[in-house]
Structure formats: structure tokens, C-alpha cells
Amino acid sequence: MMMDVMVFKLPSFKFLSPNSAAARSPAIIRCSLPRFSLSSIPALATTGREGDQTLSSLSLGHITRPDFPILHQEINGSKLVYLDNAATSQKPISVLKALQDYYETYNSNVHRGIHYLSAKATDEYELARKKVAAFINASESREIVFTRNATEAINLVAYSWGLANLKLGDEVILTVAEHHSAIVPWQIVAQRTGAILKFVTLNENDVPDMQNFKEIFSKNTKLVVVHHISNVLASFLPVEDIIQWARDVGAKVLIDACQSVPHMVVDVQQLDADFLVASSHKMCGPTGIGFLYGKSDLLSTMPPFLGGGEMISDVFLDHSTYADPPSRFEAGTPAIGEAIGLGAAIDYLSGIGMQKIHEYEVELANYLYESLCAVPNVDIYGPKPSETVHRAALCSFNVENIHPTDIATFLDQQHGVAIRSGHHCAQPLHRHLGVNASARASLYFYNTKEDVDAFIQALNDTISFFNSFK
């Protein structure tokens, strides 16, 4: 591509001066990582091509891509390469059809009507709740509360359980790597109750220090709020161990599973988590809905989060009584179509198999990390993968002396590659890493190694372009 064409295609934007802190010691090692092979690949996704012998040689990404219409388009004259899945995932045809079917054939409010449309909508809405419960192996569907998103789910726990149970001097343990939605609500609760927030720092491998984590517990610890997989570091936390440490001091645990539920098998009964949150839009479902899992004995003791219709038992002029969970926490008309769409997404993911998705993404994760390591002057955050240390299929990184927003803009405008730049709702973590922002490429099961190759080629071109000004 000629340089004058490249300049012509670029939007009018001010080139940002690279943050001096963003240029850490460059990670320019060529990695030699173990190759992970899939034991098997599904014969089909939802495209109905059973028996096609050519599928046996295709990756899960190649098999499932036809189910996602949005992936088959050009952006700025280039084939779209969508690598922003940690922010939101794309939606398969089956989810789009489920939404359309609801609005076209049985759109109605739930729980309050006796006519056919209302009964049908209610049945499908509650079926979606059962699907969520089965997907994470909750013991019963009433342990699933639908919310607008995972952020609201965390706020529900903070304002309902937190304000009712935390007092002056009580301690809440978090890590510096938490998403803002797992920090800010507890800051508000701490200000109101006098509780103390304690943060686990990172070790030399840029992951939360487990020794520090174990030692930070005390007799005053009442709650642990922790991610399962970091949306920046790509690291997995040993939440089973953390939950056991919490049990030893009588503390509760809330797991932010937004980056794990869409990508691997998550079993809340096996984990023994007290609370767990996730978002539909990161797992092939619609935006506008997420869920809170809570143990039934905990939910039953928690006061309402919002007041209004549906969450009541009886309303008098001087007081009201409240419904049992989950209705107690679902005031007003819920996101009916979105819940049904989430149910369709779970059907789709379950049809593939979460273990199969996880195995394929482990392979993609290593390929992405190894490929990015080969790019000069790139600093990747989080642990180096090995036989014992796995990374999620994402890489947050900086390139020496080039601002991540410049990188993301050029990739989009010149190559049709969609990644994210910024602090990824993790400003404390970025400050701890010594940078203000990073670029992030994140994959899902419908991505392929060819997507990674296209990204790396485009990134090399981007770096060459900006280095030409030096």
C-alpha cells in the first residue's frame, strides 16, 4: 500500500504523544511455547452440514463462523477481523432469530397476564432462567436473578447484602486487577458502613500474588470480591483456593465470572461460590441483561435492591411485603426479549460444548501470545503461558513509543482489524503496571489462527508507519 494512500485514508485525528510510562522494558523474546491439540472437533455448529467430511480438517473457528453474519463484511475496504471479544461478543443467527421470534409472535409482559401471549412470554422467560441455572450448575433456578448486566448484579450484592451485613472495621478483600464494577460499588459501601477495602497486589509475573492473598485474610474479613479471569492480564485465579481461605475465616465470596463463563465450564456448586455474576453480551447473547447467582439461603435474607412492581407480595399505604427471590430483586418489567435471547445463546454454546470451546481457545491463546512475542518492541502484560500456566485468549500490550489509541485507530482504518485501546475499566491495574493505557486483542471460539495472522501483519504495518515519522 502506497504511503500517500495510507495517509489519505486516515481519519483526521491528533496523534497522541506516547505516555512515557507506556514504554516499559520491551518484551521482544521469540517464544517457544507448547502446542495444544484438540482431541476432537464438532461435526457441525448450527449450520446443518453434518456428514461433510471436509469439516474434520477445519478448526472450531472455521466451523462456527458461518453462524455469525456480522463477521462477513468489509470495514474501510478490508475484511473485518473482530478481536474485541473481551468487550462484547458477536451473536449467532439462532440468537437473532430468537429475538425476532419473540417480538414478532408473542411479545407481551410476563407474569401478570392470563392470555396466551403473556403465558408464552412468561414460559420462555422462566425457561431462560432455568437454562442459565443449568449452564452454571446452580442447584435451582430461583438462585438466578436477572439484571441489566454484571455491573448491576455486583451493585445488587453491594447495596443489599453489603449494606445489611458490613459494619465499621469489617474487611473486604479485592485485587488491584479488578474491573471498576467490582471496585466502585464497594468503595461506596465502605464509605457508608466504615468497612475497610484491602487490595492484593501483583507478583513479579504480573498476576495477583497468591501468597499475599492468603496472608491478607483476618478475623475481620467478611467478603472477598475477585475476578475469575482478568480482562487485562488474561490470568486465571485459583478461585477454589480463595474460596477455601474465605471459608476458614467465615467470609463470603463474590466471583466476577464475566471472562470465564463464556469461555469454559463454570460449576458454581463445585466452586462453592456464594455469589457469581456474568453478562449475556459476552457469551453470544444480547446486551441489556446479565445475571447474579446467589445461594438461596443468602438471597432469602437479603432486602430488595429496587422497589416497584413484581418484587412485592402485598402493598399497603404504610408498608409493603416482598416477594421471594428471584422476584424480590427484579422490580418492574424485565428485559424479556433479552432473557430469551440469552437462553438461545446458552443453547448455542451448549450445542458446541464449553470444554471444546475452552480447549480450542487455549490453543488460540498460545498462538496469539507467541505471534505477538515475535513483534519487536512489544510489552505483553500478564503471565507467560506454559504447560502449567494457561492464559485466556487475549493479550493486552503496548508498543514502545506508540500510543495504544494510535495503534487501534490505524488497525481499524487501514486494515479492518478491531481491537480495544484504553484502560479497559481497570485504571488501578494500569497504574500498578506503570502505564495509563494499553491495546488489547481478545479472541472467541469463532476466531481463527488466520485472524491472528492478519492482526500481526497489520500490527507490523502499523508500527512501520509510525516509526517512519521518527
Side-chain angles (χ1 to χ4, degrees):
M1 185 177 293
M2 297 297 292
M3 183 62 70
D4 58 342
V5 176
M6 294 171 66
V7 175
F8 176 76
K9 283 185 64 181
L10 278 171
S12 176
F13 68 97
K14 180 180 179 182
F15 287 92
L16 301 174
S17 299
N19 180 354
S20 58
R24 300 172 71 207
S25 300
I28 57 175
I29 325 172
R30 291 188 175 269
C31 305
S32 179
L33 302 177
R35 296 292 187 179
F36 294 82
S37 299
L38 293 174
S39 57
S40 61
I41 292 290
L44 72 162
T46 61
T47 52
R49 295 170 293 170
E50 191 170 11
D52 186 346
Q53 296 302 312
T54 62
L55 292 182
S56 61
S57 61
L58 296 178
S59 73
L60 181 58
H62 289 101
I63 294 169
T64 56
R65 284 180 73 84
D67 297 336
F68 295 85
I70 197 171
L71 299 178
H72 308 282
Q73 62 176 300
E74 289 190 352
I75 302 294
N76 296 317
S78 299
K79 176 186 173 184
L80 170 64
V81 178
Y82 184 78
L83 304 181
D84 194 21
N85 294 283
T88 200
S89 65
Q90 299 304 337
K91 322 307 173 191
I93 294 171
S94 59
V95 171
L96 303 178
K97 285 183 174 178
L99 285 167
Q100 183 176 10
D101 185 43
Y102 165 69
Y103 284 111
E104 283 187 348
T105 64
Y106 61 100
N107 173 46
S108 185
N109 214 328
V110 294
H111 300 141
R112 302 184 183 95
I114 61 171
H115 56 80
Y116 171 82
L117 294 183
S118 181
K120 171 73 170 174
T122 299
D123 287 346
E124 294 298 322
Y125 179 77
E126 291 302 332
L127 178 59
R129 192 190 309 276
K130 292 177 181 177
K131 290 177 181 178
V132 173
F135 192 67
I136 63 171
N137 196 31
S139 60
E140 49 190 344
S141 62
R142 67 190 182 100
E143 293 181 318
I144 304 300
V145 179
F146 284 132
T147 59
R148 285 187 305 155
N149 44 45
T151 298
E152 184 174 85
I154 294 172
N155 275 269
L156 192 164
V157 178
Y159 282 89
S160 182
W161 186 90
L163 290 179
N165 289 276
L166 296 176
K167 62 184 186 302
L168 182 67
D170 286 344
E171 296 172 354
V172 178
I173 297 176
L174 310 95
T175 79
V176 297
E178 300 309 316
H179 191 280
H180 294 165
S181 63
I183 295 177
V184 178
W186 299 104
Q187 290 176 335
I188 296 172
V189 168
Q191 291 166 1
R192 295 188 183 183
T193 63
I196 300 167
L197 304 186
K198 300 174 71 175
F199 290 89
V200 176
T201 58
L202 305 185
N203 62 20
E204 65 279 4
N205 296 316
D206 282 352
V207 296
D209 189 323
M210 287 300 102
Q211 186 62 36
N212 176 221
F213 211 134
K214 188 174 183 178
E215 294 173 352
I216 206 170
F217 282 91
S218 76
K219 61 182 177 60
N220 295 320
T221 304
K222 294 297 183 288
L223 178 70
V224 178
V225 181
V226 67
H227 62 274
H228 197 177
I229 295 176
S230 170
N231 72 320
V232 175
L233 303 173
S235 53
F236 292 70
L237 286 188
V239 290
E240 297 92 341
D241 294 339
I242 294 169
I243 290 170
Q244 184 54 57
W245 299 336
R247 293 286 173 267
D248 292 342
V249 297
K252 307 301 181 187
V253 180
L254 188 161
I255 303 295
D256 174 359
C258 287
Q259 300 294 339
S260 60
V261 165
H263 301 281
M264 59 186 287
V265 175
V266 174
D267 185 329
V268 293
Q269 292 192 68
Q270 183 177 341
L271 290 177
D272 194 30
D274 298 295
F275 302 105
L276 181 141
V277 304
S279 275
S280 163
H281 71 95
K282 287 183 168 67
M283 51 189 292
C284 296
T287 56
I289 190 164
F291 65 85
L292 164 69
Y293 159 80
K295 289 183 175 179
S296 57
D297 60 331
L298 289 174
L299 293 178
S300 64
T301 65
M302 290 163 53
F305 174 49
L306 297 173
E310 186 62 31
M311 50 72 64
I312 53 87
S313 177
D314 291 293
V315 176
F316 305 91
L317 293 182
D318 59 346
H319 74 282
S320 297
T321 57
Y322 308 122
D324 293 331
S327 296
R328 183 185 302 172
F329 306 107
E330 295 181 8
T333 298
I336 304 166
E338 288 81 354
I340 293 168
L342 170 57
I346 287 174
D347 288 341
Y348 180 85
L349 294 173
S350 299
I352 300 171
M354 294 310 298
Q355 184 59 32
K356 191 177 299 295
I357 288 173
H358 176 62
E359 290 172 1
Y360 177 64
E361 289 188 8
V362 168
E363 183 177 342
L364 275 185
N366 284 275
Y367 188 75
L368 172 64
Y369 187 90
E370 181 178 0
S371 300
L372 197 54
C373 275
V375 179
N377 301 321
V378 168
D379 194 0
I380 306 172
Y381 304 111
K384 179 179 180 179
S386 66
E387 290 285 0
T388 57
V389 178
H390 290 172
R391 286 179 61 101
L394 68 89
C395 282
S396 299
F397 65 95
N398 269 304
V399 179
E400 185 177 4
N401 295 325
I402 305 176
H403 196 282
T405 299
D406 291 343
I407 292 172
T409 301
F410 195 92
L411 287 173
D412 174 64
Q413 293 294 322
Q414 294 298 312
H415 297 282
V417 177
I419 69 166
R420 187 150 293 254
S421 65
H423 51 64
H424 319 307
C425 294
Q427 286 181 310
L429 173 58
H430 278 79
R431 291 192 190 100
H432 192 89
L433 294 170
V435 297
N436 285 338
S438 63
R440 183 184 69 191
S442 52
L443 314 179
Y444 207 5
F445 63 86
Y446 45 67
N447 287 120
T448 64
K449 289 183 178 179
E450 287 82 358
D451 288 337
V452 176
D453 293 340
F455 161 61
I456 296 299
Q457 182 178 358
L459 179 62
N460 277 311
D461 180 62
T462 300
I463 294 171
S464 296
F465 173 80
F466 284 103
N467 284 342
S468 69
F469 292 99
K470 295 178 181 178

